[in-house]
Amino acid sequence: MPVFTAEDGVNIPVPKNVFTRESHRLEDIKINEDEVKSRLERLREDKSPGVNDLSPIVLKRISEEIAHPASILFSQSMNEGDVPLDWRSANVTPIFKKGSRNLPENYRPVSLTSQLSKVMESIIRDIIISHLDRHRLIRDTQHGFRKGRSCTTNILEFLDMVTGVINQKGSVDVIFLDFAKAFDKVPHRRLLAKLQAHGIDGQVVRWIASWLKGRKQWVCLDGYSSTWADVLSVYHKDQFLVHYCS
């Protein structure tokens, strides 16, 4: 069964605008040919191609030849705030987890998208993270999905804190929370509003909105594939913007 959060667009809470340096808002990203070439050269050859069947091995070996046209394509996509449909389409492959192989719930669906799209996504991701780090918009207690941090560093800091409290004859209360399907259930309109509240706006947030809109997927297994289906976690493109600046 698909997992998503459907909202009617009414009474969507507006996040607090935590970014006050209006002249430093991240509104556009310049795509550098050398950076594109470097990213292509670092593609992992064991990764699967997406819907367009462009193997990472091929892209890696012709990186010098395609870096320039790819950078032009990326720049046009960013300037227009429009993501090609091929980049918004995915092959979904079920990966067995545990238990009976006859039960669908014992498989984890993996969405395989275009390798070329992933190159552009990685460039945008790193620039966004740099923006958030530079303006101290990510709390220091955040360990997940950060360079040089992991569950291990989180546990080490937690144990250091607990040990210090115990050594001082104190006590510690711990509450663990686990949000089921947390990433799948993030409402898109709230996500986009949150980005704007953190100083990410203009063409960048429009590109991300396009990336989220009109996605399609089909299931591929043992040489067979299903019919195409729309990804249900969608919103109306013209309804997402929350303007914090003119």
Side-chain angles (χ1 to χ4, degrees):
M1 293 294 292
V3 178
F4 64 97
T5 299
E7 294 189 304
D8 57 11
V10 179
N11 297 323
I12 299 296
V14 177
K16 179 182 177 181
N17 185 17
V18 298
F19 191 80
T20 57
R21 305 181 66 183
E22 294 300 331
S23 62
H24 291 80
R25 297 183 77 86
L26 179 61
E27 297 182 335
D28 193 14
I29 291 177
K30 303 301 181 183
I31 308 295
N32 182 280
E33 179 180 337
D34 291 336
E35 180 64 24
V36 173
K37 182 174 180 293
S38 175
R39 303 266 175 165
L40 289 169
E41 291 174 340
R42 299 202 304 267
L43 285 174
R44 287 181 51 180
E45 297 185 2
D46 60 336
K47 292 296 184 179
S48 301
V51 173
N52 52 24
D53 285 330
L54 282 175
S55 166
I57 299 176
V58 174
L59 293 173
K60 185 175 183 178
R61 293 181 181 178
I62 63 172
S63 58
E64 187 169 351
E65 289 77 13
I66 68 172
H68 179 63
S71 64
I72 294 175
L73 177 62
F74 292 169
S75 296
Q76 183 175 350
S77 176
M78 174 58 64
N79 292 336
E80 295 180 358
D82 186 35
V83 179
L85 180 58
D86 279 358
W87 295 2
R88 290 180 279 125
S89 303
N91 295 335
V92 176
T93 300
I95 304 297
F96 178 70
K97 296 187 297 183
K98 61 181 180 179
S100 172
R101 291 183 178 271
N102 297 323
L103 298 176
E105 57 265 30
N106 290 335
Y107 290 81
R108 176 170 61 90
V110 175
S111 183
L112 305 175
T113 55
S114 166
Q115 288 291 329
L116 201 59
S117 172
K118 288 180 180 179
V119 171
M120 183 171 182
E121 291 167 25
S122 69
I123 294 174
I124 295 174
R125 176 202 62 206
D126 288 351
I127 291 176
I128 288 177
I129 291 176
S130 177
H131 165 84
L132 296 174
D133 285 338
R134 182 167 60 254
H135 297 289
R136 300 184 178 277
L137 296 171
I138 301 180
R139 293 180 182 273
D140 196 51
T141 51
Q142 173 67 37
H143 287 256
F145 306 99
R146 298 188 68 187
K147 186 176 182 180
R149 303 208 177 186
S150 63
C151 291
T152 301
T153 60
N154 190 8
I155 292 173
L156 289 174
E157 286 196 9
F158 171 73
L159 289 177
D160 182 64
M161 183 273 293
V162 171
T163 302
V165 173
I166 292 177
N167 287 339
Q168 296 296 322
K169 308 300 182 182
S171 61
V172 178
D173 294 325
V174 181
I175 299 175
F176 290 95
L177 300 176
D178 183 14
F179 296 96
K181 301 291 184 180
F183 287 98
D184 297 326
K185 293 182 178 180
V186 172
H188 291 173
R189 288 189 62 198
R190 298 193 189 202
L191 171 63
L192 295 166
K194 199 79 170 180
L195 288 172
Q196 291 181 301
H198 284 73
I200 301 167
D201 216 324
Q203 294 305 106
V204 179
V205 79
R206 289 185 182 278
W207 191 91
I208 296 172
S210 178
W211 189 88
L212 292 169
K213 180 180 69 71
R215 302 188 69 85
K216 293 181 177 294
Q217 63 185 18
W218 63 356
V219 178
C220 302
L221 180 64
D222 294 334
Y224 295 91
S225 59
S226 68
T227 56
W228 284 102
D230 294 328
V231 177
L232 298 179
S233 295
V234 297
Y235 63 94
H236 192 279
K237 184 176 181 181
D238 297 328
Q239 294 179 340
F240 83 87
L241 290 177
V242 179
H243 295 287
Y244 293 102
C245 63
S246 58

